[in-house]
């Protein structure tokens, strides 16, 4: 998430950061405070950002680093007519109040001229101490110490304010608010973008994109979900109410003006005019566990226009193999994303058999990131982010990557079809076992 936002607002990871990759404290090079604030207005992963005045592997190194920090950069925040306070935060260790005061008093060599104001200070300074990631092996002294001026906090309160528990319209698989915002940030969604979800469901992913000022739309094969009909997913509620739909969700958060529409459509069938239409495609495809993987037409592709399901309001449907879902999704993204636009989606994984070559590829799309969310000891899902880097042409229509070469797609005979069929069965079995 941070890497995507840095590419959007400017900045990069410091070369010093490579030393401690697993540290919860990261050092970034950001050209201006304005850019830093812009980044923090988006992130739900980062807690706070500081102007780093000094750091070191011990208290002595920290103090030496602080003494070398340019005085002209310090003085504007240490004037006699200003107020300030100093916080101390320790990761993976709790200090007594007396220990905290001792560490703060040790900074008396800094030329603070203002008055201490604990309730409403103009400037806030932080001492940050890193005691590692292992709660069972906490060292006496920190691995690393930092001191800096607080600039801004992240947007972690969005997780609570957009919680699915408080949402008007939900489904069995509505996306967690935190993950939804992370996906929008991976997609580098910005104001006036057009964002599309081909498996829109109850529209949870549209909400986070609309929050960042993008116009949103989606499609889904399930007529009842799109129109807010049928059985409710909420506990102690049997049927959905008259105004339970995607538009009502966006209205709930004051985002209705960004809502384009949601259509009943089969994602395996083309419905859009040719051309680059979308700035980002952000979606969570069905895995065939809690939500069925279906597409229109029978297995033999016979057209039965007269037969319509009274329950689903769609034509005769057949199984939609998981490997085909991802192949169609990448092909669609390659054709309909603008250049530089991003595709962000979840890929289910059976961990003992996972390899990098399982990730679907397309010649027009570059893999940007591959992040794992653990579900159990054997299963997980990976958040895949891809960027369009090449114009879509006719020869790219049915290409996919196999053994390092792009070859014509072979449908159900592909190794991925066999792998993903196994993934679905294993995840479904684990869910049943957990329910028991």
């Amino acid at each position: 998430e941070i890497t995507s936002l840095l590419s959007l607002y400017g900045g990069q990871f410091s070369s010093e950061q490579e030393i401690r990759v697993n540290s919860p404290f990261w050092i970034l090079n950001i050209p201006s405070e304005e850019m830093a604030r812009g980044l923090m207005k988006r992130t739900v992963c980062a807690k706070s950002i500081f102007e780093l005045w000094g750091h070191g592997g011990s208290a002595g190194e920290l103090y030496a680093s602080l003494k070398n920090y340019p005085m002209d950069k310090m003085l504007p925040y240490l004037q006699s007519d200003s107020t300030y306070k100093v916080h101390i935060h320790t990761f993976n260790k709790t200090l007594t109040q007396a220990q905290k005061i001792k560490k703060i008093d040790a900074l008396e060599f800094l030329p603070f001229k203002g008055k201490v104001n604990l309730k409403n200070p103009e400037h806030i300074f932080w001492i940050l101490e890193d005691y590692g990631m292992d709660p069972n092996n906490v060292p006496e002294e920190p691995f690393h110490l930092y001191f800096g001026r607080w600039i801004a906090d992240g947007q972690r309160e969005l997780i609570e304010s957009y919680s699915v528990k408080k949402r008007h319209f939900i489904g069995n698989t509505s996306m967690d608010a935190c993950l939804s915002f992370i996906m929008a940030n991976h997609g580098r969604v910005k104001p006036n973008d057009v964002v599309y979800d081909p498996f829109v469901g109850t529209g949870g992913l549209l909400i986070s994109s609309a929050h960042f000022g993008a116009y949103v739309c989606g499609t889904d094969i399930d007529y009842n979900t799109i129109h807010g009909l049928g059985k409710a997913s909420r506990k102690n509620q049997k049927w959905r109410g008259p105004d339970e739909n995607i538009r009502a969700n966006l209205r709930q958060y004051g985002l209705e003006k960004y809502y384009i529409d949601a259509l009943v459509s089969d994602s395996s069938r083309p419905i859009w005019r040719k051309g680059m239409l979308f700035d980002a495609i952000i979606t969570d495809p069905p895995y065939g566990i809690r939500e069925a993987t279906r597409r229109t037409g029978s297995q033999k592709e016979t057209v039965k226009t007269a037969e319509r399901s009274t329950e689903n309001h769609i034509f005769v449907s057949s199984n939609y193999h998981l490997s085909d879902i991802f192949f169609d999704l990448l092909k669609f993204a390659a054709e309909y994303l603008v250049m530089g636009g991003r595709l962000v989606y979840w890929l289910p994984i059976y961990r003992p058999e996972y390899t990098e070559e399982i990730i679907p590829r397309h010649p027009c799309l570059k893999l940007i990131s591959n992040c794992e969310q653990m579900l159990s000891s054997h299963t997980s899902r990976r958040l895949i982010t891809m960027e369009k880097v090449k114009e879509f042409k006719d020869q790219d229509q049915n290409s996919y990557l196999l053994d390092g070469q792009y070859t014509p797609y072979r449908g159900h005979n592909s190794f991925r079809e066999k792998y993903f069929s196994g993934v679905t069965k294993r995840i479904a079995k684990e869910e049943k076992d957990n329910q028991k």
Side-chain angles (χ1 to χ4, degrees), residues 89-97 99-100 129 131 138:
H89 173 75
T90 54
F91 186 86
N92 199 29
K93 189 170 185 176
T94 302
L95 299 181
T96 65
Q97 190 63 24
Q99 288 174 315
K100 290 181 179 180
E129 296 188 349
Y131 287 86
V138 181

Side-chain angles (χ1 to χ4, degrees), residues 57-219:
S58 65
E61 288 183 14
L62 170 64
Y63 303 152
S65 177
L66 282 171
K67 289 172 183 176
N68 289 329
Y69 191 71
M71 188 59 66
D72 60 314
K73 292 185 178 181
M74 284 189 185
L75 288 179
Y77 309 103
L78 306 177
Q79 297 299 315
S80 57
D81 59 348
S82 66
T83 58
Y84 74 95
K85 71 174 178 179
V86 180
H87 269 300
I88 184 163
H89 173 75
T90 54
F91 186 86
N92 199 29
K93 189 170 185 176
T94 302
L95 299 181
T96 65
Q97 190 63 24
Q99 288 174 315
K100 290 181 179 180
I101 292 172
K102 184 179 179 181
K103 289 176 181 287
I104 292 172
D105 288 343
L107 297 173
E108 61 184 3
F109 62 87
L110 291 174
F112 288 108
K113 296 178 181 178
K115 294 181 179 180
V116 173
N117 185 331
L118 299 180
K119 289 186 177 181
N120 189 27
E122 291 179 59
H123 310 298
I124 305 173
F125 302 93
W126 285 70
I127 302 170
L128 307 167
E129 296 188 349
D130 180 7
Y131 287 86
M133 307 287 280
D134 185 359
N136 299 316
N137 187 23
V138 181
E140 282 296 319
E141 297 298 325
F143 291 119
H144 214 88
L145 301 92
Y146 307 84
F147 180 86
R149 179 178 64 89
W150 174 83
I151 294 175
D153 287 334
Q155 302 299 309
R156 298 176 91 160
E157 73 278 358
L158 293 178
I159 299 169
E160 180 61 26
S161 57
Y162 281 86
S163 172
V164 175
K165 295 177 183 178
K166 304 175 184 177
R167 194 166 297 166
H168 185 64
F169 177 47
I170 62 169
N172 293 332
T173 57
S174 292
M175 182 60 67
D176 171 80
C178 178
L179 295 177
S180 179
F181 280 103
I182 290 172
M183 292 176 75
N185 283 332
H186 273 245
R188 298 194 301 190
V189 173
K190 57 188 182 298
N192 299 320
D193 278 357
V194 178
V195 177
Y196 173 66
D197 182 352
F199 304 96
V200 70
T202 56
L205 296 179
L206 301 187
I207 293 170
S208 56
S209 294
H211 174 83
F212 294 133
Y215 293 92
V216 295
C217 58
T219 58

Side-chain angles (χ1 to χ4, degrees), residues 175-277:
M175 182 60 67
D176 171 80
C178 178
L179 295 177
S180 179
F181 280 103
I182 290 172
M183 292 176 75
N185 283 332
H186 273 245
R188 298 194 301 190
V189 173
K190 57 188 182 298
N192 299 320
D193 278 357
V194 178
V195 177
Y196 173 66
D197 182 352
F199 304 96
V200 70
T202 56
L205 296 179
L206 301 187
I207 293 170
S208 56
S209 294
H211 174 83
F212 294 133
Y215 293 92
V216 295
C217 58
T219 58
D220 202 284
I221 197 171
D222 192 327
Y223 179 98
N224 288 344
T225 300
I226 290 293
H227 289 277
L229 304 174
K231 292 182 178 180
S233 299
R234 202 179 302 277
K235 189 177 180 181
N236 300 324
Q237 182 183 340
K238 191 172 183 180
W239 301 101
R240 287 178 175 141
D243 192 35
E244 287 193 45
N245 51 53
I246 297 172
R247 182 185 291 275
N249 275 352
L250 288 158
R251 187 186 305 126
Q252 176 184 352
Y253 300 111
L255 302 171
E256 188 177 2
K257 65 180 179 180
Y258 297 113
Y259 182 54
I260 298 175
D261 209 346
L263 313 176
V264 180
S265 168
D266 177 1
S267 64
S268 70
R269 309 272 180 177
I271 65 166
W272 302 98
R273 65 173 173 82
K274 298 294 183 182
M276 296 182 288
L277 304 177

Side-chain angles (χ1 to χ4, degrees), residues 254-314:
L255 302 171
E256 188 177 2
K257 65 180 179 180
Y258 297 113
Y259 182 54
I260 298 175
D261 209 346
L263 313 176
V264 180
S265 168
D266 177 1
S267 64
S268 70
R269 309 272 180 177
I271 65 166
W272 302 98
R273 65 173 173 82
K274 298 294 183 182
M276 296 182 288
L277 304 177
F278 306 115
D279 297 284
I281 297 171
I282 299 175
T283 190
D284 181 27
Y287 314 142
I289 301 157
R290 294 186 184 179
E291 297 287 350
T293 54
R294 308 294 290 174
R295 62 177 168 186
T296 54
S298 69
Q299 295 287 6
K300 296 181 180 179
E301 296 296 324
T302 56
V303 180
K304 300 180 180 180
T305 55
E307 290 188 49
R308 293 173 66 90
S309 165
T310 56
E311 182 182 351
N312 294 329
H313 294 75
I314 63 169

